[in-house]
Short mmCIF file of all heavy atoms in Angstrom, two decimals:
data_model
loop_
_atom_site.label_atom_id
_atom_site.label_comp_id
_atom_site.label_asym_id
_atom_site.label_seq_id
_atom_site.Cartn_x
_atom_site.Cartn_y
_atom_site.Cartn_z
N VAL X 274 96.27 92.01 123.01
CA VAL X 274 97.24 90.93 123.17
C VAL X 274 97.78 90.48 121.82
O VAL X 274 98.99 90.41 121.60
CB VAL X 274 96.60 89.74 123.90
CG1 VAL X 274 97.60 88.61 124.02
CG2 VAL X 274 96.11 90.16 125.26
N LEU X 275 96.88 90.21 120.88
CA LEU X 275 97.32 89.71 119.57
C LEU X 275 98.23 90.71 118.87
O LEU X 275 99.30 90.37 118.39
CB LEU X 275 96.10 89.44 118.68
CG LEU X 275 95.33 88.16 118.94
CD1 LEU X 275 94.21 88.02 117.94
CD2 LEU X 275 96.25 86.97 118.87
N ARG X 276 97.80 91.97 118.82
CA ARG X 276 98.57 92.98 118.12
C ARG X 276 99.90 93.22 118.82
O ARG X 276 100.92 93.41 118.20
CB ARG X 276 97.81 94.31 118.01
CG ARG X 276 96.69 94.37 117.06
CD ARG X 276 97.02 94.37 115.57
NE ARG X 276 98.40 94.27 115.16
CZ ARG X 276 98.84 93.38 114.29
NH1 ARG X 276 98.05 92.50 113.75
NH2 ARG X 276 100.09 93.34 113.93
N PHE X 277 99.87 93.21 120.16
CA PHE X 277 101.11 93.43 120.89
C PHE X 277 102.14 92.35 120.54
O PHE X 277 103.27 92.65 120.19
CB PHE X 277 100.84 93.42 122.40
CG PHE X 277 102.02 93.89 123.20
CD1 PHE X 277 102.12 95.21 123.59
CD2 PHE X 277 103.03 93.01 123.55
CE1 PHE X 277 103.21 95.66 124.31
CE2 PHE X 277 104.13 93.45 124.27
CZ PHE X 277 104.22 94.77 124.65
N ILE X 278 101.70 91.11 120.62
CA ILE X 278 102.62 90.01 120.34
C ILE X 278 103.15 90.08 118.92
O ILE X 278 104.34 89.95 118.66
CB ILE X 278 101.91 88.66 120.56
CG1 ILE X 278 101.60 88.49 122.04
CG2 ILE X 278 102.75 87.53 120.05
CD1 ILE X 278 100.60 87.42 122.31
N MET X 279 102.25 90.31 117.98
CA MET X 279 102.68 90.30 116.58
C MET X 279 103.61 91.47 116.27
O MET X 279 104.56 91.32 115.52
CB MET X 279 101.47 90.33 115.67
CG MET X 279 100.75 89.01 115.69
SD MET X 279 99.17 89.16 114.89
CE MET X 279 98.70 87.45 114.86
N THR X 280 103.32 92.64 116.84
CA THR X 280 104.18 93.78 116.56
C THR X 280 105.53 93.63 117.25
O THR X 280 106.56 94.01 116.69
CB THR X 280 103.51 95.09 117.03
OG1 THR X 280 102.13 95.02 116.75
CG2 THR X 280 104.09 96.28 116.33
N PHE X 281 105.52 93.07 118.43
CA PHE X 281 106.75 92.88 119.18
C PHE X 281 107.75 92.04 118.38
O PHE X 281 108.95 92.28 118.41
CB PHE X 281 106.41 92.16 120.50
CG PHE X 281 107.43 92.36 121.58
CD1 PHE X 281 107.54 93.58 122.22
CD2 PHE X 281 108.25 91.32 121.98
CE1 PHE X 281 108.47 93.76 123.23
CE2 PHE X 281 109.18 91.50 122.99
CZ PHE X 281 109.29 92.72 123.61
N ASN X 282 107.25 91.07 117.66
CA ASN X 282 108.11 90.18 116.88
C ASN X 282 108.39 90.66 115.47
O ASN X 282 109.13 90.05 114.74
CB ASN X 282 107.45 88.81 116.74
CG ASN X 282 107.27 88.16 118.06
OD1 ASN X 282 108.07 88.35 118.95
ND2 ASN X 282 106.21 87.39 118.19
N LYS X 283 107.74 91.72 115.08
CA LYS X 283 107.74 92.12 113.68
C LYS X 283 109.13 92.46 113.20
O LYS X 283 109.89 93.15 113.86
CB LYS X 283 106.84 93.35 113.53
CG LYS X 283 106.32 93.50 112.16
CD LYS X 283 104.94 92.94 112.05
CE LYS X 283 104.59 92.72 110.61
NZ LYS X 283 104.63 91.35 110.19
N PHE X 284 109.44 91.99 112.02
CA PHE X 284 110.74 92.31 111.46
C PHE X 284 110.62 93.13 110.19
O PHE X 284 111.24 94.18 110.04
CB PHE X 284 111.51 91.02 111.18
CG PHE X 284 112.67 91.19 110.24
CD1 PHE X 284 113.87 91.69 110.71
CD2 PHE X 284 112.56 90.89 108.90
CE1 PHE X 284 114.93 91.88 109.85
CE2 PHE X 284 113.62 91.07 108.03
CZ PHE X 284 114.81 91.56 108.52
N ASP X 285 109.83 92.65 109.26
CA ASP X 285 109.90 93.19 107.90
C ASP X 285 109.49 94.65 107.77
O ASP X 285 110.11 95.39 107.02
CB ASP X 285 109.14 92.33 106.88
CG ASP X 285 108.00 91.57 107.48
OD1 ASP X 285 107.56 91.96 108.57
OD2 ASP X 285 107.55 90.61 106.86
N ASP X 286 108.48 95.08 108.52
CA ASP X 286 108.01 96.46 108.35
C ASP X 286 109.11 97.47 108.63
O ASP X 286 109.40 98.35 107.82
CB ASP X 286 106.80 96.74 109.25
CG ASP X 286 105.65 95.82 108.92
OD1 ASP X 286 105.89 94.60 108.83
OD2 ASP X 286 104.52 96.29 108.76
N VAL X 287 109.74 97.34 109.80
CA VAL X 287 110.78 98.29 110.17
C VAL X 287 112.00 98.13 109.27
O VAL X 287 112.57 99.12 108.78
CB VAL X 287 111.20 98.11 111.64
CG1 VAL X 287 112.33 99.04 111.99
CG2 VAL X 287 110.02 98.36 112.55
N TYR X 288 112.38 96.89 109.01
CA TYR X 288 113.54 96.65 108.18
C TYR X 288 113.39 97.28 106.80
O TYR X 288 114.30 97.90 106.27
CB TYR X 288 113.78 95.14 108.04
CG TYR X 288 114.93 94.79 107.14
CD1 TYR X 288 116.23 94.89 107.59
CD2 TYR X 288 114.70 94.37 105.84
CE1 TYR X 288 117.30 94.58 106.77
CE2 TYR X 288 115.77 94.06 105.01
CZ TYR X 288 117.06 94.16 105.47
OH TYR X 288 118.10 93.86 104.65
N LEU X 289 112.20 97.13 106.24
CA LEU X 289 111.98 97.65 104.88
C LEU X 289 111.82 99.17 104.87
O LEU X 289 112.17 99.83 103.90
CB LEU X 289 110.74 96.99 104.27
CG LEU X 289 110.94 95.54 103.84
CD1 LEU X 289 109.60 94.88 103.59
CD2 LEU X 289 111.81 95.46 102.60
#
Side-chain angles (χ1 to χ4, degrees):
Chain X
V274 178
L275 282 182
R276 287 289 2 128
F277 190 95
I278 292 164
M279 288 168 172
T280 322
F281 202 72
N282 297 327
K283 204 97 197 105
F284 163 80
D285 28 19
D286 300 49
V287 177
Y288 177 78
L289 286 165

